[in-house]
């Protein structure tokens, strides 16, 4: 069995507080556990109940603003994991999928989703290294420029 980590302390060291779980905007739950894995639903860059940015990459939204939004999405995904199983039960981040609302011709999706990947690396170190997809899409819910979901391996249930 993997050693339990104190990710709560790591977040505190970084000055990061996990937000409340963002309520679903449709018929789904924020996260589901099956076996030793937690799958989060796609998370938007919602902070304190408000979408922080709207629009598309390549049509008004800057790469840097979208990268910051991807970080906010990843933080919301961690909040969903924490609410379901506790953040300290995370063994590693296995996979991240990022969706980027993209205007025709925009091809910088990987750089945008780096906002989530770099944040997870900052929090989890080597346990934050993950497989990933960065996908360009025509539209996202609520007009968000980015949406992120993740799969986390967690400690076995006791």
């Amino acid at each position: 069995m993997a050693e339990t980590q104190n990710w709560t302390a790591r977040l505190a060291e970084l000055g990061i507080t996990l937000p409340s779980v963002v309520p679903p905007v449709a018929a789904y739950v924020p996260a589901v556990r099956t076996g030793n894995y937690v799958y989060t639903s796609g998370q938007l860059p919602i902070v304190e109940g408000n979408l922080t940015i709207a629009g598309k990459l390549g049509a008004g939204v800057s790469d840097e603003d979208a990268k910051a939004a991807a970080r906010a999405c990843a933080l919301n995904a961690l909040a969903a994991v924490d609410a379901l199983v506790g953040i300290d039960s995370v063994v590693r981040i296995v996979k991240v999928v990022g969706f980027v609302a993209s205007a025709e011709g925009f091809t910088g999706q990987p750089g945008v989703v780096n906002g989530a990947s770099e944040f997870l690396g900052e929090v989890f170190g080597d346990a934050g290294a993950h497989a990933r997809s960065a996908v360009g899409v025509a539209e996202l819910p609520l007009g968000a420029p980015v949406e992120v979901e993740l799969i986390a391996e967690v400690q076995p249930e006791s």
Side-chain angles (χ1 to χ4, degrees), residues 9-59:
R10 177 67 182 145
L11 288 168
E13 285 174 21
L14 295 170
I16 297 168
T17 302
L18 290 175
S20 298
V21 176
V22 176
V25 298
Y28 60 88
V29 295
V32 172
R33 178 183 187 144
T34 184
N36 292 343
Y37 296 92
V38 171
Y39 294 74
T40 70
S41 294
Q43 300 293 315
L44 301 176
I46 293 176
V47 176
E48 296 179 358
N50 297 305
L51 188 68
T52 60
I53 186 170
K56 292 185 181 185
L57 279 290

Side-chain angles (χ1 to χ4, degrees), residues 133-149:
S133 299
V135 182
V137 298
E139 300 289 342
L140 286 169
L142 307 178
V146 63
E147 179 175 349
V148 172
E149 64 183 51

Side-chain angles (χ1 to χ4, degrees), residues 66-75 78 93-98 109-134 146 148-150:
K67 190 174 175 181
R71 182 187 190 282
C73 294
L75 181 62
L78 292 185
I93 303 301
V94 176
K95 175 109 189 227
V96 170
V97 180
Q109 294 85 2
V112 170
V113 181
N114 275 350
S117 295
E118 291 167 1
F119 169 70
L120 294 166
E122 183 181 354
V123 172
F124 296 105
D126 289 344
H130 53 269
R132 188 182 90 178
S133 299
V146 63
V148 172
E149 64 183 51
L150 62 79

